[in-house]
Amino acid sequence: MPLHVAPAPAPALRSVLTALGSPTAVREARTPSLRAAQGPATPELPLPVHVLDRITPQGLSATRLAGWRFLIRCGDRAVAAAETMLTPDGWAFSHFFEGPYVASTELALNQAETLQHSYQPRLLSVPGLYMLTLWLHGDTAADGAEGHPAATDLLVPLAPAPPGIAAHRPHPVADLLPVLTLRATRLPLLGSPAA
């Protein structure tokens, strides 16, 4: 089934296009693949990036929208990504980057295209576990900037995933949440003094 990619805010896309058109922004980016790319670089597949700041023993806290991420394609593959952020003046370009999450995101999106149901792709970052997932939201008509994972949504951990969590394997939120909750609530104990 096809993925239903939510449209990014027009100012976010414009800011990325402006950065791609700026020799200074591309030259100063720490992305050798983007600097060395031959041919036009185009932003594709805008994904809202939601952050899960806290996981409590009771489950998920609310997520918040942190920005929009665009895969930057040159030829037949993504060579980098561009991140935008919300500022007091609206959406603005933040930075270009590359690394394992670019290829991992592209792979996860390609795998998601083969699933039996339609989904709206998003990214969900879990900073407390150093984890990024492709969040496949079941409501394809939803506003991509809002909401939090439903029990029936799928989370696909991107590589590199935390130890013991399989990357590129879709997990229903209801199944993966207890694992994340256990790990996240255990972490503060590591730094606490012995009683």
Side-chain angles (χ1 to χ4, degrees):
M1 288 283 176
L3 295 176
H4 296 271
V5 178
L13 176 59
R14 277 195 304 271
S15 72
V16 171
L17 289 170
T18 299
L20 280 171
S22 165
T24 303
V26 172
R27 188 173 48 252
E28 292 179 3
R30 292 192 173 119
T31 55
S33 295
L34 185 58
R35 286 196 310 266
Q38 299 295 318
T42 56
E44 294 182 354
L45 296 168
L47 299 172
V49 180
H50 293 261
V51 176
L52 180 61
D53 288 317
R54 287 186 316 117
I55 301 175
T56 66
Q58 295 75 33
L60 294 173
S61 66
T63 61
R64 64 177 170 82
L65 180 67
W68 284 81
R69 182 172 296 171
F70 298 78
L71 292 181
I72 306 299
R73 182 171 300 284
C74 288
D76 62 349
R77 68 182 185 94
V79 297
E83 192 95 10
T84 63
M85 63 182 182
L86 190 57
T87 69
D89 295 325
W91 288 101
F93 172 76
S94 175
H95 61 282
F96 292 115
F97 66 94
E98 62 182 70
Y101 285 132
V102 174
S104 188
T105 301
E106 188 171 41
L107 175 61
L109 287 165
N110 288 336
Q111 290 173 330
E113 286 280 354
T114 67
L115 295 174
Q116 301 257 333
H117 301 290
S118 294
Y119 292 98
Q120 182 188 82
R122 304 168 175 200
L123 293 173
L124 180 66
S125 173
V126 187
L129 297 175
Y130 301 100
M131 181 177 185
L132 183 64
T133 69
L134 177 63
W135 167 15
L136 299 173
H137 190 53
D139 182 357
T140 59
D143 181 348
E146 296 179 359
H148 67 276
T152 55
D153 288 352
L154 297 178
L155 295 178
V156 182
L158 300 179
I165 297 177
H168 296 287
R169 182 172 163 244
H171 301 270
V173 169
D175 293 347
L176 189 57
L177 180 59
V179 174
L180 299 181
T181 301
L182 180 64
R183 287 182 179 215
T185 55
R186 224 189 287 164
L187 289 177
L189 299 176
L190 296 175
S192 60

